[in-house]
Amino acid sequence: MESKYDKVAYPENAFLHSDNEQEDFGTGVYPGVSIISRRYKHEDTIKIACFKVKRKFSRVALIGGCLAILLLIIAIIIISTSGRNEAEKEKDLYSSNKKPYGLFFQPEVDNSPLLSFSPQNQASMNPYLNNLDFHMHVYNTYSYDKDPYMVCKNGEEVPDGKVCVQKMATFGEECTHLNHYGYLQGRPCVLLTLKLRPDDVPENFPNNSKVGKMLNDTWSPYHIGLTCDGETEDDRKYIGSDQWYTPVLTDHTVMKEKPIQNFPGKGFNLPFFPQRNPDKYIPPSVMVQFNTLMTNHPISIKCVAWVANPEFGENPEESDIYTARFRFLITK
């Protein structure tokens, strides 16, 4: 009897499905039937298994790759956010002008506590010079003999309604517009202003106190002392401790100057407090000149107004109100 498989040529060792299994496919070539040699059955099984493993591995690799990319994106976001937070923390830490009253510094450009410039680059200095010109304008335009303004003397009682004024000469010869506030020589000046509430009357430390002894020859019963120095030992090293020598051309001698100088040297004049005419009041200021700053080193500065009033803080050096903090970076 003729079998339907006679219509298909196949090798003798072929493994064929039964006749009953193939009834639905009709006769002839069976498109849905695999004719598998017994000799290669196990090899094909291995190939199929390998294919499944490869497909599973590819799927795992794909998922792993996606997770790695996701983790990388998260890490970048965290680092970026952390960097911005650190920058904001540093800005808040050093910029002490964000307060209602206390010790303030200028120049502050773009709300940054960093004063970065090169004495060889005029453009890098101009924002700071313009800022100082703006804040010095108030001390340069008022008439000292015009009511209600008056020049207040040490220990003198100031009448109600009067306003003490500070002469431009008290800020020294170097810290002026004509001398570029020292920036052209790499000896920058910073304006420190003590702005208090209208009724505040600050007190200074006694001469025999620890602060009085620290202020030494700059202590005065009529002034609030002011000091500026590096925040850390490294900062103080970059400021330098050697005196600065400047030539005096008249007799070819030299004049010694301290690394940091205050103008006026005693600090803030007490007759300016309290404010007897708040609408026209002009707060007292001190120009601080830094003569020996090293170049290419960021230097953090902390200035302290030594106010002794307990209600304002017994340790003004630890108070945000009576400290001003900024940084220098002078490049060549």
Side-chain angles (χ1 to χ4, degrees), residues 22 75 78 98 101 106 134 139 144 178 180 191-192 214 230-231 234 245 250 307:
Q22 302 301 332
I78 292 175
K98 296 179 181 179
Y101 63 95
Q106 296 297 338
F134 175 81
Y139 301 103
Y144 303 129
L178 293 177
H180 298 86
L191 184 71
L192 277 297
M214 181 268 298
E231 287 220 52
D234 282 341
Y245 294 86
T250 55
V307 177

Side-chain angles (χ1 to χ4, degrees), residues 55 113 131 133 142 158 162 170 178 209 276:
R55 185 170 60 180
N131 180 281
D133 278 340
Y142 286 93
V158 180
K162 291 292 185 178
T170 63
L178 293 177
S209 66
R276 293 171 177 83

Side-chain angles (χ1 to χ4, degrees), residues 66-241:
C66 292
L67 288 175
I69 294 173
L70 180 61
L71 290 174
L72 179 61
I73 294 173
I74 294 174
I76 293 174
I77 293 174
I78 292 175
I79 293 172
S80 176
T81 304
S82 175
R84 286 196 299 269
N85 291 340
E86 288 299 321
E88 290 300 321
K89 284 174 62 178
E90 180 173 289
K91 180 177 288 188
D92 292 339
L93 176 65
Y94 287 102
S95 183
S96 53
N97 289 347
K98 296 179 181 179
K99 54 192 174 186
Y101 63 95
L103 185 65
F104 297 83
F105 78 91
Q106 296 297 338
E108 183 188 44
V109 177
D110 296 330
N111 297 317
S112 172
L114 178 63
L115 283 67
S116 178
F117 66 96
S118 170
Q120 283 75 43
N121 185 346
Q122 181 70 39
S124 69
M125 296 183 285
N126 285 340
Y128 305 109
L129 303 183
N130 292 336
N131 180 281
L132 286 171
D133 278 340
F134 175 81
H135 286 91
M136 289 299 294
H137 179 73
V138 68
Y139 301 103
N140 195 34
T141 58
Y142 286 93
S143 175
Y144 303 129
D145 56 358
K146 183 179 180 181
D147 191 68
Y149 303 104
M150 63 176 288
V151 176
C152 300
K153 298 179 181 179
N154 293 335
E156 181 182 37
E157 185 67 25
V158 180
D160 288 341
K162 291 292 185 178
V163 177
C164 294
V165 294
Q166 189 172 349
K167 291 184 177 182
M168 286 289 293
T170 63
F171 296 111
E173 296 180 358
E174 296 293 329
C175 297
T176 63
H177 168 84
L178 293 177
N179 288 315
H180 298 86
Y181 299 99
Y183 285 70
L184 193 61
Q185 295 80 32
R187 300 165 54 214
C189 298
V190 174
L191 184 71
L192 277 297
T193 304
L194 187 59
K195 302 177 183 178
L196 301 183
R197 295 168 295 192
D199 295 329
D200 287 347
V201 182
E203 298 177 8
N204 59 5
F205 286 87
N207 189 23
N208 60 356
S209 66
K210 182 179 179 180
V211 173
K213 294 178 181 178
M214 181 268 298
L215 292 173
N216 198 6
D217 58 347
T218 65
W219 181 88
S220 166
Y222 308 111
H223 294 79
I224 295 295
L226 173 72
T227 60
C228 293
D229 206 351
E231 287 220 52
T232 68
E233 184 176 345
D234 282 341
D235 293 322
R236 290 186 284 274
K237 179 179 67 175
Y238 295 141
I239 290 175
S241 58

Side-chain angles (χ1 to χ4, degrees), residues 219-285:
W219 181 88
S220 166
Y222 308 111
H223 294 79
I224 295 295
L226 173 72
T227 60
C228 293
D229 206 351
E231 287 220 52
T232 68
E233 184 176 345
D234 282 341
D235 293 322
R236 290 186 284 274
K237 179 179 67 175
Y238 295 141
I239 290 175
S241 58
D242 295 334
Q243 290 190 328
W244 185 77
Y245 294 86
T246 179
V248 179
L249 300 179
T250 55
D251 55 5
H252 302 286
T253 59
V254 293
M255 180 175 61
K256 294 181 180 179
E257 294 183 357
K258 297 178 180 179
I260 302 175
Q261 290 180 291
N262 293 354
F263 306 97
K266 302 293 184 181
F268 304 102
N269 204 322
L270 282 173
F272 280 74
F273 309 99
Q275 300 177 23
R276 293 171 177 83
N277 190 337
D279 291 337
K280 297 184 180 295
Y281 179 73
I282 304 172
S285 294

